[in-house]
PDB file of all heavy atoms in Angstrom:
ATOM      1  N   ALA W   1     -18.490 -61.763 -80.453  1.00 97.00           N
ATOM      2  CA  ALA W   1     -19.803 -61.211 -79.903  1.00 97.00           C
ATOM      3  C   ALA W   1     -19.661 -59.726 -79.917  1.00 97.00           C
ATOM      4  O   ALA W   1     -18.722 -59.111 -79.513  1.00 97.00           O
ATOM      5  CB  ALA W   1     -20.081 -61.781 -78.528  1.00 97.00           C
ATOM      6  N   GLY W   2     -20.761 -59.126 -80.429  1.00 96.00           N
ATOM      7  CA  GLY W   2     -20.778 -57.630 -80.381  1.00 96.00           C
ATOM      8  C   GLY W   2     -20.144 -56.871 -81.475  1.00 96.00           C
ATOM      9  O   GLY W   2     -20.250 -55.672 -81.571  1.00 96.00           O
ATOM     10  N   GLU W   3     -19.372 -57.584 -82.380  1.00 97.00           N
ATOM     11  CA  GLU W   3     -18.713 -56.920 -83.435  1.00 97.00           C
ATOM     12  C   GLU W   3     -19.663 -56.718 -84.605  1.00 97.00           C
ATOM     13  O   GLU W   3     -20.553 -57.449 -84.873  1.00 97.00           O
ATOM     14  CB  GLU W   3     -17.462 -57.770 -83.865  1.00 97.00           C
ATOM     15  CG  GLU W   3     -16.359 -57.762 -82.821  1.00 97.00           C
ATOM     16  CD  GLU W   3     -15.055 -58.277 -83.373  1.00 97.00           C
ATOM     17  OE1 GLU W   3     -15.043 -59.317 -83.998  1.00 97.00           O
ATOM     18  OE2 GLU W   3     -14.082 -57.667 -83.156  1.00 97.00           O
ATOM     19  N   ARG W   4     -19.300 -55.672 -85.407  1.00 97.00           N
ATOM     20  CA  ARG W   4     -20.000 -55.344 -86.548  1.00 97.00           C
ATOM     21  C   ARG W   4     -19.086 -55.293 -87.804  1.00 97.00           C
ATOM     22  O   ARG W   4     -17.989 -54.880 -87.736  1.00 97.00           O
ATOM     23  CB  ARG W   4     -20.674 -53.887 -86.384  1.00 97.00           C
ATOM     24  CG  ARG W   4     -21.812 -53.751 -85.390  1.00 97.00           C
ATOM     25  CD  ARG W   4     -22.072 -52.349 -85.151  1.00 97.00           C
ATOM     26  NE  ARG W   4     -23.320 -52.186 -84.297  1.00 97.00           N
ATOM     27  CZ  ARG W   4     -23.658 -51.083 -83.729  1.00 97.00           C
ATOM     28  NH1 ARG W   4     -22.938 -49.958 -83.893  1.00 97.00           N
ATOM     29  NH2 ARG W   4     -24.789 -50.990 -83.032  1.00 97.00           N
ATOM     30  N   CYS W   5     -19.716 -55.828 -88.892  1.00 97.00           N
ATOM     31  CA  CYS W   5     -18.922 -55.867 -90.168  1.00 97.00           C
ATOM     32  C   CYS W   5     -19.727 -55.356 -91.334  1.00 97.00           C
ATOM     33  O   CYS W   5     -20.880 -55.706 -91.499  1.00 97.00           O
ATOM     34  CB  CYS W   5     -18.523 -57.343 -90.395  1.00 97.00           C
ATOM     35  SG  CYS W   5     -17.630 -57.638 -91.979  1.00 97.00           S
ATOM     36  N   VAL W   6     -19.089 -54.425 -92.150  1.00 98.00           N
ATOM     37  CA  VAL W   6     -19.612 -54.108 -93.432  1.00 98.00           C
ATOM     38  C   VAL W   6     -18.999 -55.049 -94.471  1.00 98.00           C
ATOM     39  O   VAL W   6     -17.828 -55.199 -94.544  1.00 98.00           O
ATOM     40  CB  VAL W   6     -19.342 -52.633 -93.771  1.00 98.00           C
ATOM     41  CG1 VAL W   6     -19.660 -52.381 -95.163  1.00 98.00           C
ATOM     42  CG2 VAL W   6     -20.050 -51.611 -92.843  1.00 98.00           C
ATOM     43  N   SER W   7     -19.901 -55.716 -95.139  1.00 97.00           N
ATOM     44  CA  SER W   7     -19.375 -56.780 -95.999  1.00 97.00           C
ATOM     45  C   SER W   7     -20.032 -56.673 -97.366  1.00 97.00           C
ATOM     46  O   SER W   7     -21.272 -56.332 -97.557  1.00 97.00           O
ATOM     47  CB  SER W   7     -19.671 -58.157 -95.431  1.00 97.00           C
ATOM     48  OG  SER W   7     -19.198 -59.160 -96.176  1.00 97.00           O
ATOM     49  N   THR W   8     -19.310 -57.002 -98.436  1.00 97.00           N
ATOM     50  CA  THR W   8     -19.814 -56.965 -99.780  1.00 97.00           C
ATOM     51  C   THR W   8     -20.427 -58.438-100.096  1.00 97.00           C
ATOM     52  O   THR W   8     -20.672 -58.708-101.288  1.00 97.00           O
ATOM     53  CB  THR W   8     -18.713 -56.686-100.835  1.00 97.00           C
ATOM     54  OG1 THR W   8     -17.765 -57.662-100.856  1.00 97.00           O
ATOM     55  CG2 THR W   8     -18.150 -55.337-100.539  1.00 97.00           C
ATOM     56  N   THR W   9     -20.595 -59.298 -99.161  1.00 96.00           N
ATOM     57  CA  THR W   9     -21.076 -60.633 -99.369  1.00 96.00           C
ATOM     58  C   THR W   9     -22.641 -60.544 -99.540  1.00 96.00           C
ATOM     59  O   THR W   9     -23.170 -59.472 -99.856  1.00 96.00           O
ATOM     60  CB  THR W   9     -20.742 -61.524 -98.178  1.00 96.00           C
ATOM     61  OG1 THR W   9     -21.179 -60.898 -96.916  1.00 96.00           O
ATOM     62  CG2 THR W   9     -19.281 -61.718 -98.126  1.00 96.00           C
ATOM     63  N   ASN W  10     -23.287 -61.632 -99.501  1.00 94.00           N
ATOM     64  CA  ASN W  10     -24.701 -61.707 -99.880  1.00 94.00           C
ATOM     65  C   ASN W  10     -25.735 -62.049 -98.784  1.00 94.00           C
ATOM     66  O   ASN W  10     -26.977 -61.916 -99.004  1.00 94.00           O
ATOM     67  CB  ASN W  10     -24.920 -62.765-101.043  1.00 94.00           C
ATOM     68  CG  ASN W  10     -24.114 -64.039-100.718  1.00 94.00           C
ATOM     69  OD1 ASN W  10     -24.195 -64.639 -99.624  1.00 94.00           O
ATOM     70  ND2 ASN W  10     -23.330 -64.490-101.697  1.00 94.00           N
ATOM     71  N   ARG W  11     -25.230 -62.406 -97.602  1.00 93.00           N
ATOM     72  CA  ARG W  11     -26.262 -62.749 -96.493  1.00 93.00           C
ATOM     73  C   ARG W  11     -25.707 -62.142 -95.155  1.00 93.00           C
ATOM     74  O   ARG W  11     -24.510 -62.104 -94.914  1.00 93.00           O
ATOM     75  CB  ARG W  11     -26.311 -64.321 -96.455  1.00 93.00           C
ATOM     76  CG  ARG W  11     -27.113 -64.855 -97.489  1.00 93.00           C
ATOM     77  CD  ARG W  11     -27.337 -66.309 -97.431  1.00 93.00           C
ATOM     78  NE  ARG W  11     -28.183 -66.735 -98.544  1.00 93.00           N
ATOM     79  CZ  ARG W  11     -28.174 -67.964 -99.086  1.00 93.00           C
ATOM     80  NH1 ARG W  11     -27.379 -68.915 -98.591  1.00 93.00           N
ATOM     81  NH2 ARG W  11     -29.000 -68.238-100.024  1.00 93.00           N
ATOM     82  N   ASN W  12     -26.729 -61.713 -94.374  1.00 94.00           N
ATOM     83  CA  ASN W  12     -26.360 -61.102 -93.081  1.00 94.00           C
ATOM     84  C   ASN W  12     -27.323 -61.601 -92.020  1.00 94.00           C
ATOM     85  O   ASN W  12     -27.726 -60.976 -90.989  1.00 94.00           O
ATOM     86  CB  ASN W  12     -26.539 -59.629 -93.218  1.00 94.00           C
ATOM     87  CG  ASN W  12     -27.885 -59.067 -93.593  1.00 94.00           C
ATOM     88  OD1 ASN W  12     -28.778 -59.902 -94.059  1.00 94.00           O
ATOM     89  ND2 ASN W  12     -28.165 -57.830 -93.372  1.00 94.00           N
ATOM     90  N   PHE W  13     -27.584 -63.019 -92.149  1.00 92.00           N
ATOM     91  CA  PHE W  13     -28.416 -63.668 -91.099  1.00 92.00           C
ATOM     92  C   PHE W  13     -27.768 -63.619 -89.809  1.00 92.00           C
ATOM     93  O   PHE W  13     -26.522 -63.465 -89.689  1.00 92.00           O
ATOM     94  CB  PHE W  13     -28.716 -64.995 -91.580  1.00 92.00           C
ATOM     95  CG  PHE W  13     -29.283 -65.242 -93.016  1.00 92.00           C
ATOM     96  CD1 PHE W  13     -29.100 -66.337 -93.727  1.00 92.00           C
ATOM     97  CD2 PHE W  13     -30.162 -64.276 -93.422  1.00 92.00           C
ATOM     98  CE1 PHE W  13     -29.626 -66.474 -94.957  1.00 92.00           C
ATOM     99  CE2 PHE W  13     -30.715 -64.338 -94.690  1.00 92.00           C
ATOM    100  CZ  PHE W  13     -30.421 -65.501 -95.456  1.00 92.00           C
ATOM    101  N   VAL W  14     -28.454 -63.984 -88.701  1.00 91.00           N
ATOM    102  CA  VAL W  14     -27.954 -64.074 -87.264  1.00 91.00           C
ATOM    103  C   VAL W  14     -26.778 -65.145 -87.329  1.00 91.00           C
ATOM    104  O   VAL W  14     -27.051 -66.308 -87.790  1.00 91.00           O
ATOM    105  CB  VAL W  14     -29.018 -64.538 -86.399  1.00 91.00           C
ATOM    106  CG1 VAL W  14     -28.417 -64.705 -84.967  1.00 91.00           C
ATOM    107  CG2 VAL W  14     -30.039 -63.412 -86.259  1.00 91.00           C
ATOM    108  N   GLY W  15     -25.670 -64.708 -86.893  1.00 91.00           N
ATOM    109  CA  GLY W  15     -24.519 -65.651 -86.839  1.00 91.00           C
ATOM    110  C   GLY W  15     -23.867 -65.950 -88.144  1.00 91.00           C
ATOM    111  O   GLY W  15     -23.048 -66.922 -88.153  1.00 91.00           O
ATOM    112  N   ARG W  16     -24.195 -65.337 -89.194  1.00 93.00           N
ATOM    113  CA  ARG W  16     -23.685 -65.605 -90.575  1.00 93.00           C
ATOM    114  C   ARG W  16     -22.160 -65.621 -90.695  1.00 93.00           C
ATOM    115  O   ARG W  16     -21.545 -66.502 -91.191  1.00 93.00           O
ATOM    116  CB  ARG W  16     -24.287 -64.741 -91.641  1.00 93.00           C
ATOM    117  CG  ARG W  16     -23.736 -64.867 -93.021  1.00 93.00           C
ATOM    118  CD  ARG W  16     -24.104 -66.217 -93.652  1.00 93.00           C
ATOM    119  NE  ARG W  16     -23.567 -66.202 -95.027  1.00 93.00           N
ATOM    120  CZ  ARG W  16     -23.763 -67.209 -95.847  1.00 93.00           C
ATOM    121  NH1 ARG W  16     -24.500 -68.328 -95.445  1.00 93.00           N
ATOM    122  NH2 ARG W  16     -23.233 -67.185 -97.117  1.00 93.00           N
ATOM    123  N   MET W  17     -21.575 -64.638 -90.011  1.00 91.00           N
ATOM    124  CA  MET W  17     -20.144 -64.452 -90.104  1.00 91.00           C
ATOM    125  C   MET W  17     -19.394 -64.711 -88.767  1.00 91.00           C
ATOM    126  O   MET W  17     -18.249 -64.340 -88.611  1.00 91.00           O
ATOM    127  CB  MET W  17     -19.730 -63.040 -90.623  1.00 91.00           C
ATOM    128  CG  MET W  17     -20.074 -62.876 -92.103  1.00 91.00           C
ATOM    129  SD  MET W  17     -19.588 -61.262 -92.671  1.00 91.00           S
ATOM    130  CE  MET W  17     -17.839 -61.521 -92.794  1.00 91.00           C
ATOM    131  N   GLY W  18     -20.107 -65.393 -87.946  1.00 92.00           N
ATOM    132  CA  GLY W  18     -19.457 -65.625 -86.564  1.00 92.00           C
ATOM    133  C   GLY W  18     -20.462 -65.732 -85.477  1.00 92.00           C
ATOM    134  O   GLY W  18     -21.552 -66.365 -85.526  1.00 92.00           O
ATOM    135  N   HIS W  19     -20.213 -65.066 -84.388  1.00 95.00           N
ATOM    136  CA  HIS W  19     -21.077 -65.152 -83.230  1.00 95.00           C
ATOM    137  C   HIS W  19     -22.361 -64.669 -83.437  1.00 95.00           C
ATOM    138  O   HIS W  19     -22.670 -63.691 -84.168  1.00 95.00           O
ATOM    139  CB  HIS W  19     -20.377 -64.286 -82.052  1.00 95.00           C
ATOM    140  CG  HIS W  19     -20.770 -64.569 -80.668  1.00 95.00           C
ATOM    141  ND1 HIS W  19     -22.017 -64.233 -80.187  1.00 95.00           N
ATOM    142  CD2 HIS W  19     -20.272 -65.388 -79.712  1.00 95.00           C
ATOM    143  CE1 HIS W  19     -22.219 -64.660 -78.928  1.00 95.00           C
ATOM    144  NE2 HIS W  19     -21.151 -65.255 -78.678  1.00 95.00           N
ATOM    145  N   VAL W  20     -23.358 -65.288 -82.786  1.00 95.00           N
ATOM    146  CA  VAL W  20     -24.858 -64.881 -82.985  1.00 95.00           C
ATOM    147  C   VAL W  20     -25.141 -63.500 -82.562  1.00 95.00           C
ATOM    148  O   VAL W  20     -26.145 -62.933 -82.881  1.00 95.00           O
ATOM    149  CB  VAL W  20     -25.769 -65.890 -82.278  1.00 95.00           C
ATOM    150  CG1 VAL W  20     -25.650 -67.336 -82.915  1.00 95.00           C
ATOM    151  CG2 VAL W  20     -25.387 -65.951 -80.780  1.00 95.00           C
ATOM    152  N   GLU W  21     -24.193 -62.947 -81.694  1.00 96.00           N
ATOM    153  CA  GLU W  21     -24.387 -61.571 -81.262  1.00 96.00           C
ATOM    154  C   GLU W  21     -23.608 -60.511 -82.112  1.00 96.00           C
ATOM    155  O   GLU W  21     -23.517 -59.431 -81.693  1.00 96.00           O
ATOM    156  CB  GLU W  21     -24.104 -61.408 -79.766  1.00 96.00           C
ATOM    157  CG  GLU W  21     -25.027 -62.181 -78.856  1.00 96.00           C
ATOM    158  CD  GLU W  21     -24.587 -62.158 -77.429  1.00 96.00           C
ATOM    159  OE1 GLU W  21     -23.639 -61.367 -77.074  1.00 96.00           O
ATOM    160  OE2 GLU W  21     -25.121 -62.909 -76.641  1.00 96.00           O
ATOM    161  N   SER W  22     -23.030 -60.975 -83.224  1.00 97.00           N
ATOM    162  CA  SER W  22     -22.360 -60.113 -84.112  1.00 97.00           C
ATOM    163  C   SER W  22     -23.368 -59.631 -85.144  1.00 97.00           C
ATOM    164  O   SER W  22     -24.525 -60.140 -85.206  1.00 97.00           O
ATOM    165  CB  SER W  22     -21.235 -60.814 -84.844  1.00 97.00           C
ATOM    166  OG  SER W  22     -21.618 -61.872 -85.633  1.00 97.00           O
ATOM    167  N   GLU W  23     -22.960 -58.535 -85.979  1.00 97.00           N
ATOM    168  CA  GLU W  23     -23.877 -58.019 -86.930  1.00 97.00           C
ATOM    169  C   GLU W  23     -23.168 -57.808 -88.286  1.00 97.00           C
ATOM    170  O   GLU W  23     -21.985 -57.502 -88.319  1.00 97.00           O
ATOM    171  CB  GLU W  23     -24.393 -56.696 -86.474  1.00 97.00           C
ATOM    172  CG  GLU W  23     -25.290 -56.740 -85.198  1.00 97.00           C
ATOM    173  CD  GLU W  23     -25.810 -55.321 -84.777  1.00 97.00           C
ATOM    174  OE1 GLU W  23     -25.232 -54.288 -85.251  1.00 97.00           O
ATOM    175  OE2 GLU W  23     -26.714 -55.292 -83.960  1.00 97.00           O
ATOM    176  N   VAL W  24     -23.901 -58.005 -89.376  1.00 97.00           N
ATOM    177  CA  VAL W  24     -23.285 -57.896 -90.733  1.00 97.00           C
ATOM    178  C   VAL W  24     -24.169 -56.950 -91.454  1.00 97.00           C
ATOM    179  O   VAL W  24     -25.431 -57.074 -91.487  1.00 97.00           O
ATOM    180  CB  VAL W  24     -23.215 -59.239 -91.493  1.00 97.00           C
ATOM    181  CG1 VAL W  24     -22.711 -59.086 -92.877  1.00 97.00           C
ATOM    182  CG2 VAL W  24     -22.389 -60.280 -90.732  1.00 97.00           C
ATOM    183  N   TYR W  25     -23.551 -55.956 -92.078  1.00 98.00           N
ATOM    184  CA  TYR W  25     -24.193 -54.948 -92.925  1.00 98.00           C
ATOM    185  C   TYR W  25     -23.735 -55.138 -94.391  1.00 98.00           C
ATOM    186  O   TYR W  25     -22.531 -55.004 -94.601  1.00 98.00           O
ATOM    187  CB  TYR W  25     -23.789 -53.490 -92.399  1.00 98.00           C
ATOM    188  CG  TYR W  25     -24.298 -53.208 -91.035  1.00 98.00           C
ATOM    189  CD1 TYR W  25     -23.708 -53.749 -89.931  1.00 98.00           C
ATOM    190  CD2 TYR W  25     -25.421 -52.456 -90.781  1.00 98.00           C
ATOM    191  CE1 TYR W  25     -24.082 -53.554 -88.580  1.00 98.00           C
ATOM    192  CE2 TYR W  25     -25.902 -52.142 -89.515  1.00 98.00           C
ATOM    193  CZ  TYR W  25     -25.189 -52.734 -88.403  1.00 98.00           C
ATOM    194  OH  TYR W  25     -25.627 -52.466 -87.118  1.00 98.00           O
ATOM    195  N   LEU W  26     -24.615 -55.401 -95.227  1.00 98.00           N
ATOM    196  CA  LEU W  26     -24.313 -55.684 -96.690  1.00 98.00           C
ATOM    197  C   LEU W  26     -24.243 -54.423 -97.416  1.00 98.00           C
ATOM    198  O   LEU W  26     -25.080 -53.558 -97.327  1.00 98.00           O
ATOM    199  CB  LEU W  26     -25.299 -56.648 -97.254  1.00 98.00           C
ATOM    200  CG  LEU W  26     -25.482 -57.919 -96.667  1.00 98.00           C
ATOM    201  CD1 LEU W  26     -26.569 -58.848 -97.361  1.00 98.00           C
ATOM    202  CD2 LEU W  26     -24.239 -58.789 -96.512  1.00 98.00           C
ATOM    203  N   ALA W  27     -23.225 -54.218 -98.276  1.00 98.00           N
ATOM    204  CA  ALA W  27     -22.980 -53.068 -99.047  1.00 98.00           C
ATOM    205  C   ALA W  27     -22.144 -53.310-100.320  1.00 98.00           C
ATOM    206  O   ALA W  27     -21.637 -54.492-100.465  1.00 98.00           O
ATOM    207  CB  ALA W  27     -22.400 -51.991 -98.212  1.00 98.00           C
ATOM    208  N   SER W  28     -22.020 -52.354-101.161  1.00 98.00           N
ATOM    209  CA  SER W  28     -21.206 -52.402-102.332  1.00 98.00           C
ATOM    210  C   SER W  28     -19.666 -52.212-101.928  1.00 98.00           C
ATOM    211  O   SER W  28     -19.337 -51.729-100.798  1.00 98.00           O
ATOM    212  CB  SER W  28     -21.543 -51.385-103.288  1.00 98.00           C
ATOM    213  OG  SER W  28     -21.140 -50.022-102.752  1.00 98.00           O
ATOM    214  N   PRO W  29     -18.761 -52.536-102.871  1.00 98.00           N
ATOM    215  CA  PRO W  29     -17.351 -52.385-102.578  1.00 98.00           C
ATOM    216  C   PRO W  29     -17.038 -50.865-102.289  1.00 98.00           C
ATOM    217  O   PRO W  29     -16.178 -50.565-101.457  1.00 98.00           O
ATOM    218  CB  PRO W  29     -16.673 -52.763-103.840  1.00 98.00           C
ATOM    219  CG  PRO W  29     -17.602 -53.814-104.413  1.00 98.00           C
ATOM    220  CD  PRO W  29     -19.005 -53.350-104.040  1.00 98.00           C
ATOM    221  N   ALA W  30     -17.761 -49.954-102.906  1.00 98.00           N
ATOM    222  CA  ALA W  30     -17.542 -48.489-102.688  1.00 98.00           C
ATOM    223  C   ALA W  30     -17.793 -48.088-101.184  1.00 98.00           C
ATOM    224  O   ALA W  30     -17.062 -47.467-100.627  1.00 98.00           O
ATOM    225  CB  ALA W  30     -18.359 -47.712-103.722  1.00 98.00           C
ATOM    226  N   ILE W  31     -19.007 -48.532-100.780  1.00 98.00           N
ATOM    227  CA  ILE W  31     -19.359 -48.195 -99.348  1.00 98.00           C
ATOM    228  C   ILE W  31     -18.516 -48.961 -98.408  1.00 98.00           C
ATOM    229  O   ILE W  31     -18.090 -48.401 -97.394  1.00 98.00           O
ATOM    230  CB  ILE W  31     -20.880 -48.557 -99.216  1.00 98.00           C
ATOM    231  CG1 ILE W  31     -21.778 -47.852-100.142  1.00 98.00           C
ATOM    232  CG2 ILE W  31     -21.334 -48.351 -97.747  1.00 98.00           C
ATOM    233  CD1 ILE W  31     -21.646 -46.317-100.098  1.00 98.00           C
ATOM    234  N   ALA W  32     -18.155 -50.241 -98.738  1.00 98.00           N
ATOM    235  CA  ALA W  32     -17.300 -50.925 -97.752  1.00 98.00           C
ATOM    236  C   ALA W  32     -15.953 -50.364 -97.729  1.00 98.00           C
ATOM    237  O   ALA W  32     -15.423 -50.240 -96.578  1.00 98.00           O
ATOM    238  CB  ALA W  32     -17.208 -52.405 -98.243  1.00 98.00           C
ATOM    239  N   ALA W  33     -15.360 -49.882 -98.833  1.00 98.00           N
ATOM    240  CA  ALA W  33     -14.075 -49.288 -98.735  1.00 98.00           C
ATOM    241  C   ALA W  33     -14.029 -48.009 -98.011  1.00 98.00           C
ATOM    242  O   ALA W  33     -13.199 -47.646 -97.171  1.00 98.00           O
ATOM    243  CB  ALA W  33     -13.528 -49.085-100.197  1.00 98.00           C
ATOM    244  N   ALA W  34     -15.095 -47.171 -98.295  1.00 98.00           N
ATOM    245  CA  ALA W  34     -15.174 -45.850 -97.597  1.00 98.00           C
ATOM    246  C   ALA W  34     -15.387 -46.099 -96.011  1.00 98.00           C
ATOM    247  O   ALA W  34     -14.847 -45.365 -95.259  1.00 98.00           O
ATOM    248  CB  ALA W  34     -16.395 -45.071 -98.214  1.00 98.00           C
ATOM    249  N   SER W  35     -16.193 -47.157 -95.715  1.00 98.00           N
ATOM    250  CA  SER W  35     -16.462 -47.354 -94.318  1.00 98.00           C
ATOM    251  C   SER W  35     -15.193 -47.878 -93.566  1.00 98.00           C
ATOM    252  O   SER W  35     -14.949 -47.644 -92.461  1.00 98.00           O
ATOM    253  CB  SER W  35     -17.631 -48.419 -94.187  1.00 98.00           C
ATOM    254  OG  SER W  35     -18.778 -48.031 -94.767  1.00 98.00           O
ATOM    255  N   ALA W  36     -14.318 -48.555 -94.323  1.00 98.00           N
ATOM    256  CA  ALA W  36     -13.046 -49.113 -93.770  1.00 98.00           C
ATOM    257  C   ALA W  36     -12.166 -47.914 -93.461  1.00 98.00           C
ATOM    258  O   ALA W  36     -11.411 -47.971 -92.411  1.00 98.00           O
ATOM    259  CB  ALA W  36     -12.305 -50.009 -94.773  1.00 98.00           C
ATOM    260  N   VAL W  37     -12.216 -46.875 -94.229  1.00 98.00           N
ATOM    261  CA  VAL W  37     -11.451 -45.631 -93.961  1.00 98.00           C
ATOM    262  C   VAL W  37     -12.101 -44.837 -92.714  1.00 98.00           C
ATOM    263  O   VAL W  37     -11.355 -44.349 -91.785  1.00 98.00           O
ATOM    264  CB  VAL W  37     -11.275 -44.806 -95.104  1.00 98.00           C
ATOM    265  CG1 VAL W  37     -10.525 -43.429 -94.785  1.00 98.00           C
ATOM    266  CG2 VAL W  37     -10.496 -45.529 -96.240  1.00 98.00           C
ATOM    267  N   ALA W  38     -13.396 -44.783 -92.734  1.00 97.00           N
ATOM    268  CA  ALA W  38     -14.072 -43.816 -91.765  1.00 97.00           C
ATOM    269  C   ALA W  38     -14.210 -44.514 -90.475  1.00 97.00           C
ATOM    270  O   ALA W  38     -14.325 -43.870 -89.428  1.00 97.00           O
ATOM    271  CB  ALA W  38     -15.450 -43.442 -92.333  1.00 97.00           C
ATOM    272  N   GLY W  39     -14.189 -45.858 -90.446  1.00 96.00           N
ATOM    273  CA  GLY W  39     -14.330 -46.557 -89.103  1.00 96.00           C
ATOM    274  C   GLY W  39     -15.875 -46.681 -88.816  1.00 96.00           C
ATOM    275  O   GLY W  39     -16.251 -47.237 -87.720  1.00 96.00           O
ATOM    276  N   LYS W  40     -16.784 -46.359 -89.731  1.00 97.00           N
ATOM    277  CA  LYS W  40     -18.210 -46.403 -89.601  1.00 97.00           C
ATOM    278  C   LYS W  40     -18.780 -46.465 -90.914  1.00 97.00           C
ATOM    279  O   LYS W  40     -18.133 -46.232 -91.925  1.00 97.00           O
ATOM    280  CB  LYS W  40     -18.713 -45.259 -88.736  1.00 97.00           C
ATOM    281  CG  LYS W  40     -18.482 -43.846 -89.429  1.00 97.00           C
ATOM    282  CD  LYS W  40     -18.923 -42.707 -88.579  1.00 97.00           C
ATOM    283  CE  LYS W  40     -18.719 -41.371 -89.295  1.00 97.00           C
ATOM    284  NZ  LYS W  40     -19.203 -40.243 -88.427  1.00 97.00           N
ATOM    285  N   ILE W  41     -20.061 -46.759 -91.029  1.00 97.00           N
ATOM    286  CA  ILE W  41     -20.663 -46.804 -92.335  1.00 97.00           C
ATOM    287  C   ILE W  41     -20.658 -45.412 -92.973  1.00 97.00           C
ATOM    288  O   ILE W  41     -21.086 -44.428 -92.358  1.00 97.00           O
ATOM    289  CB  ILE W  41     -22.154 -47.284 -92.174  1.00 97.00           C
ATOM    290  CG1 ILE W  41     -22.268 -48.712 -91.799  1.00 97.00           C
ATOM    291  CG2 ILE W  41     -22.934 -47.125 -93.511  1.00 97.00           C
ATOM    292  CD1 ILE W  41     -23.583 -49.330 -91.570  1.00 97.00           C
ATOM    293  N   ALA W  42     -20.114 -45.293 -94.146  1.00 97.00           N
ATOM    294  CA  ALA W  42     -19.852 -44.072 -94.901  1.00 97.00           C
ATOM    295  C   ALA W  42     -19.783 -44.264 -96.312  1.00 97.00           C
ATOM    296  O   ALA W  42     -19.451 -45.385 -96.840  1.00 97.00           O
ATOM    297  CB  ALA W  42     -18.600 -43.369 -94.284  1.00 97.00           C
ATOM    298  N   GLY W  43     -20.007 -43.314 -97.124  1.00 95.00           N
ATOM    299  CA  GLY W  43     -19.863 -43.262 -98.533  1.00 95.00           C
ATOM    300  C   GLY W  43     -18.599 -42.544 -98.876  1.00 95.00           C
ATOM    301  O   GLY W  43     -18.009 -41.764 -98.146  1.00 95.00           O
ATOM    302  N   PRO W  44     -18.048 -42.775-100.096  1.00 96.00           N
ATOM    303  CA  PRO W  44     -16.850 -42.083-100.545  1.00 96.00           C
ATOM    304  C   PRO W  44     -16.919 -40.574-100.467  1.00 96.00           C
ATOM    305  O   PRO W  44     -15.894 -39.893-100.213  1.00 96.00           O
ATOM    306  CB  PRO W  44     -16.746 -42.518-102.021  1.00 96.00           C
ATOM    307  CG  PRO W  44     -17.491 -43.870-102.131  1.00 96.00           C
ATOM    308  CD  PRO W  44     -18.648 -43.698-101.143  1.00 96.00           C
ATOM    309  N   ASP W  45     -18.081 -39.951-100.645  1.00 91.00           N
ATOM    310  CA  ASP W  45     -18.208 -38.518-100.675  1.00 91.00           C
ATOM    311  C   ASP W  45     -18.102 -38.048 -99.169  1.00 91.00           C
ATOM    312  O   ASP W  45     -18.170 -36.775 -99.009  1.00 91.00           O
ATOM    313  CB  ASP W  45     -19.580 -38.110-101.257  1.00 91.00           C
ATOM    314  CG  ASP W  45     -19.608 -38.442-102.752  1.00 91.00           C
ATOM    315  OD1 ASP W  45     -18.495 -38.583-103.305  1.00 91.00           O
ATOM    316  OD2 ASP W  45     -20.695 -38.667-103.346  1.00 91.00           O
ATOM    317  N   GLN W  46     -18.193 -38.891 -98.222  1.00 89.00           N
ATOM    318  CA  GLN W  46     -18.133 -38.377 -96.811  1.00 89.00           C
ATOM    319  C   GLN W  46     -16.656 -38.471 -96.241  1.00 89.00           C
ATOM    320  O   GLN W  46     -16.486 -38.040 -95.128  1.00 89.00           O
ATOM    321  CB  GLN W  46     -19.012 -39.292 -95.969  1.00 89.00           C
ATOM    322  CG  GLN W  46     -20.473 -39.205 -96.325  1.00 89.00           C
ATOM    323  CD  GLN W  46     -21.356 -40.233 -95.638  1.00 89.00           C
ATOM    324  OE1 GLN W  46     -21.469 -41.409 -96.050  1.00 89.00           O
ATOM    325  NE2 GLN W  46     -21.959 -39.838 -94.548  1.00 89.00           N
TER     326      GLN W  46
END
């Protein structure tokens, strides 16, 4: 509950990856990898 995920998957419906109070943000591998380093949604150029 309350967790957020940037994912390269295809769906971000309520509860798609777990708790109904979690959130999924769909993106490309480039944005996902950059976000993993930044700790927040980010692009490689950031």
Side-chain angles (χ1 to χ4, degrees):
E3 290 193 313
R4 292 171 172 165
C5 177
V6 170
S7 179
T8 68
T9 54
N10 43 50
R11 287 182 176 153
N12 59 346
F13 306 149
V14 173
R16 173 68 178 181
M17 291 183 72
H19 199 282
V20 294
E21 294 176 12
S22 63
E23 295 180 347
V24 178
Y25 297 75
L26 303 179
S28 70
I31 300 304
S35 300
V37 174
K40 61 182 181 180
I41 292 177
D45 295 336
Q46 296 170 279

